[in-house]
Structures are given as structure tokens and as C-alpha cells.
Amino acid sequence: MARIAVIGAGMGAMAAAARLAVAGHRVTVYERAATYGGAVGRLERDGFSFDLGPGLLPLPAVYRDLFVKTGRQPLEECVELVQVDPSSRHVFPDGSAVALPNASRAGVVAALDETLGDGAGKRWGDFLVRAREAWDRTRRPLLEEPLWPNWQVLAEREPYPAVPHKRLLRTRRAATLAEVGAWELRDARLTALLESHALAYGLDPRATPASAAVLPYMEHAFGTWYVRGGVRELARAVYERCVARRVEFVFGAEVTRVVEKDGRAAGVETADGTVAEADHVVAGVAPGVLDVLVPGTPPRGGAGGVPPQRAAASRLTVLLALRGARPAGTAHRTVVHAADRADELLRLFGEHPGLSAAPTVTVTRPEDPAAVPDAEHEAVTLTVTVPAGLEIPEPDVQRVVDAAGRAVPGLRDRLLWHEVRTPADVARATGAAGGAVPAPALAAADGRLLHPANGTALPGLFAAGGWAHPGGGLPHAGMSGALVAGLIVEGPEFRGSQ
């Protein structure tokens, strides 16, 4: 039985802790905050309840596997999962809107044809077929296996089978998500639908590889799920599974140093000077934090390793308490697309960061009695991708609320109060510089969107969570925990789930 110190109580770190405890190890989690969950937080006020992190769960199989492998109670006995339908509703600048059924290719094709016409549904359906091929080619190396030592193969090879396109007397294939939209989808609204999946993670579609087609494919193929009571309930369930497996949690304990002995990680030191010895250390922290904890070590992965990804974007979240009941038939999630996409991309990724006059806003309206004081009120969450470190003045917040009015009629008249969570708040919750939010790992693009391996240059030190392989997002964090546990239990020969 080994002693294992885990730094941070985020989702990836807790997933690793539960699996390691079941394997017979003595696991202690040190968390600087007063609670678990990391970015998966909750705000409660006046009987309203809001998720502060992700509002939906894609690919729930990752957490089903975690609960199967760590105890007798399956995930569905610990939380209630609801497959939302429609999966999402999209409101476009020209006034058109379309609701996309959940996990139904035929339904999505029919909805797009009916709303957008001109073969839009068929083009999107054909795109999903190609996206599935990209998924099949990358699923194992990007989700289920430790990062390959020859990761350059993933970096150089584009797995998306782009359609040949005649352009300027040459035959070309789309290499970026923006080119997929322009050359294969050929409709500004379909392009906005496609690019919204990249923008949600702070990825510039003009530079994001075509392999990002796997992001909408995952949602289409595996469905979109809501956790009754909010995604914070998933964090609670994972925490309680850890406790049931005798994982010890020490809250309010900021780790300031990874202790080294004989050239390997040998424990952690906390801010009060306490040193806890350990045979292995698992760090569920942002790259900059890890650099402070282990000063003077080579880049993660050692010589030739993937450099830590630095996300360019964060999130602005506006929480709205509304009077009046949620109308029957309201979509759980509505994406209100930017009025001027070029301006939005310029402000997000240009030299002068800021917020577009009418940015893309994701409006989340859960049908959940736990989110409201009574049936005569509604809790609404607005989410906008913004540059990391951006200060958000109140006029910008009001522009976001105005944009959301396109999805919530009478919003201003119904508003009781609002609260705002800025990149600075994200930074305080996660420790990531500027409140940056990690994106999922993606192939191609010369490795820019791969993440450092779960093993590090310091033997005995492992990395879990969104800033390690396979990257950001709830499913990816859960997979990182599984990979770290496999590497510790089985050693370097571990090759992932079968």
C-alpha cells in the first residue's frame, strides 16, 4: 500500500483519488479552498441555485465507468441524469432559429432542412459522418491512452477527412474549422453552429484544426445530459465516493512545495510548514501553479515533451434571478450567435482584447425545482467566452443581458437581480492565470492543442485535470484521473482502458 498525496480537489484529481483508493492505496487530498470541485462550483442566493462551471455533462460514460470501478452504487443511483431535448436551440443574427434534437442525426437533418433550407440538413449530416471518422481515429490516443512518447504523430496528422475543394485553380482540403464551414457547410448559420463548439473552449476557429469536428460529434453521438440539481451534484457524488473509499480530505491546506528526495517526488509541504511524506504525488493544478510547486524542473514530459497549453480565453458568467415561471417547452440551452462574427473574433483573439457589442451568449434555463425558490421563478445562466484576464465593466455585462433577451422574451421586465462571475473569479477558484479555461486535446495543429503527459519530468509526480492530457472539459478531466491511476497502479507499461 502506497501513500499518495493529491494536490487539489478538482474533478480530475478526485477521479484519480477514488480509483487509487480502491486499488488499496492510502490517499490524502490537500485543497487550498474550503470545498471540493474546483471550477465546478455553485452559488445559492434567495432560494436560487446556479452552477458556476459547466452546466451540462457530455459523454457521461466516463463517470459511469468511474462509479462502476470504485463501488457497488452506479452513477445513476448517486445523481439523476436527464437527457435534455432539444440538445440546443440556436438563434442566428438574421432572426432564424433552430432547435436540434438530442442524439438524433435524422432529427437534426430534418430540423436544419426545415429551418435553413437549401440542403443545409444534408450538408450538416454529411459533416457528422466525416466527424465520426475523425473521432474513430483519435478517440483512443486522445482520451483512453497515456500520451504517446511519439506524440508528434498526432501533431502532424490531420484525422478529419476533408472534402476536396477547388480553390484558385488548386484542389485544397479544409485544414481549419473555419475552412470546414466555408468550403463544406457553405452557410453562415451552419458555420456559426460549427464554430460555436470551438468558441465555447476559447479556440479561434480560424486557427483551430479541422480535427475539432469531434467536439460537435461527441455531443451528437453521446447526447447532452443535465444533472438534476446542477452539475455541482456530480462533484458532490464524486467527493462522497472518495470519502466512502476512505480518501482523506484536508481543506484550507495550500500546498506550497512538492518535496523531493533522491531525485523523485516524496511528499508535499503546506503553507503552515507541515510536511506530509508520500510515495507518489498527484497534482490537479494549473501549469503556472505546478511550476511554483516544483521549481527548476524541465518542462512537463521532459526533453521534447509537449509544452503546457496556455488557454487564451476565460468565461464571463451572468446569473439571473427572474420572476415568473419558466415557460413550458423552453429549451434547456440556447446559443444566441454574435451579430458580427468577424468583430467577435477580433476582440477575442486580436491584439486589443475586449467584448463584442453583441457577443455569442449561451443561455441555460434548467427545468429543475432545485434551482428556484418556487414554481413562480426561473434561474437563468448566461455564459460568454472572453479573453483571459479581461476586466468586465458593468456596461459590458448589460450588453450580454441585452443579447440574451433574444432568447428570453421580456427578460428585462422579469429580472429581480443578477450576479457576475468574471475571469478574476475563475482565477481565484482554479488558480489558472487570468482565469484561463483549458480546451480538450485535439490532434494536428503541430501539437498546439495537445496537453502535457500525465507523467512529469520528476519521477513520482503525476498531473491530472484539465491542464494535463487529455485536456479540459468534464469527460476529459475524468479520463485524466483514470490515466493517472493506471500509471501509478500498473506502472509505465499501462496503455489505457481496453
Side-chain angles (χ1 to χ4, degrees), residues 281-377:
V281 176
V282 177
V285 298
V289 177
L290 192 58
D291 294 341
V292 173
L293 298 179
V294 193
T297 58
R300 288 162 61 184
V306 178
Q309 185 192 60
R310 305 294 183 182
S314 183
R315 291 185 185 130
L316 166 66
T317 305
V318 185
L319 313 172
L320 307 178
L322 304 185
R323 62 172 63 88
R326 178 184 185 272
T330 295
H332 183 105
R333 176 181 55 172
T334 298
V335 180
V336 179
H337 292 274
D340 186 339
R341 176 53 59 84
D343 178 68
E344 179 174 52
L345 296 180
L346 179 65
R347 293 177 181 272
L348 264 175
F349 306 109
E351 295 181 0
H352 304 289
L355 190 68
S356 176
T360 297
V361 181
T362 299
V363 182
T364 305
R365 306 175 71 181
E367 184 181 9
D368 188 348
V372 291
D374 54 54
E376 297 306 314
H377 292 86

Side-chain angles (χ1 to χ4, degrees), residues 48-73:
F48 291 87
S49 179
F50 303 89
D51 277 323
L52 297 179
L56 290 169
L57 174 64
L59 203 57
V62 171
Y63 288 92
R64 291 190 178 114
D65 180 72
L66 171 65
F67 277 73
V68 166
K69 299 290 177 56
T70 60
R72 294 181 179 179
Q73 271 190 308

Side-chain angles (χ1 to χ4, degrees), residues 134-416:
W135 167 260
D136 289 341
R137 292 173 176 175
T138 61
R139 174 179 58 86
R140 282 197 61 81
L142 287 182
L143 284 180
E144 299 175 357
E145 299 177 344
L147 188 66
W148 294 348
N150 61 333
W151 58 264
Q152 291 86 351
V153 175
L154 290 172
E156 297 164 358
R157 182 180 301 166
E158 173 55 69
Y160 177 76
V163 176
H165 173 77
K166 291 284 188 180
R167 183 175 176 83
L168 299 179
L169 303 179
R170 292 196 308 164
T171 298
R172 300 185 60 186
R173 294 178 183 268
T176 67
L177 214 58
E179 290 174 345
V180 171
W183 301 352
E184 298 180 11
L185 300 179
R186 303 191 308 278
D187 184 300
R189 295 163 297 184
L190 290 180
T191 297
L193 170 59
L194 171 64
E195 293 182 352
S196 66
H197 291 272
L199 287 173
Y201 288 104
L203 298 174
D204 184 349
R206 300 167 301 181
T208 300
S211 65
V214 299
L215 300 178
Y217 175 77
M218 285 174 58
E219 183 172 300
H220 158 76
F222 306 110
T224 305
W225 301 77
Y226 175 66
V227 182
R228 186 72 69 187
V231 173
R232 176 67 179 176
E233 285 299 290
L234 178 64
R236 174 198 56 76
V238 175
Y239 167 73
E240 290 181 354
R241 177 55 54 92
C242 286
V243 172
R245 300 283 78 83
R246 299 186 178 181
V247 174
E248 181 183 357
F249 284 81
V250 184
F251 294 108
E254 181 180 4
V255 172
T256 56
R257 181 172 67 96
V258 172
V259 177
E260 298 181 46
K261 184 178 180 181
D262 299 328
R264 62 174 289 116
V268 296
E269 181 178 351
T270 56
D272 64 1
T274 300
V275 173
E277 295 183 349
D279 300 293
H280 303 282
V281 176
V282 177
V285 298
V289 177
L290 192 58
D291 294 341
V292 173
L293 298 179
V294 193
T297 58
R300 288 162 61 184
V306 178
Q309 185 192 60
R310 305 294 183 182
S314 183
R315 291 185 185 130
L316 166 66
T317 305
V318 185
L319 313 172
L320 307 178
L322 304 185
R323 62 172 63 88
R326 178 184 185 272
T330 295
H332 183 105
R333 176 181 55 172
T334 298
V335 180
V336 179
H337 292 274
D340 186 339
R341 176 53 59 84
D343 178 68
E344 179 174 52
L345 296 180
L346 179 65
R347 293 177 181 272
L348 264 175
F349 306 109
E351 295 181 0
H352 304 289
L355 190 68
S356 176
T360 297
V361 181
T362 299
V363 182
T364 305
R365 306 175 71 181
E367 184 181 9
D368 188 348
V372 291
D374 54 54
E376 297 306 314
H377 292 86
E378 184 180 4
V380 176
T381 300
L382 314 180
T383 307
V384 181
T385 299
V386 298
L390 185 68
E391 296 184 6
I392 312 291
E394 184 61 24
D396 283 357
V397 173
Q398 296 306 318
R399 291 209 306 274
V400 169
V401 175
D402 288 339
R406 295 170 57 200
V408 188
L411 173 58
R412 287 288 185 184
D413 294 334
R414 297 178 58 197
L415 184 60
L416 290 171

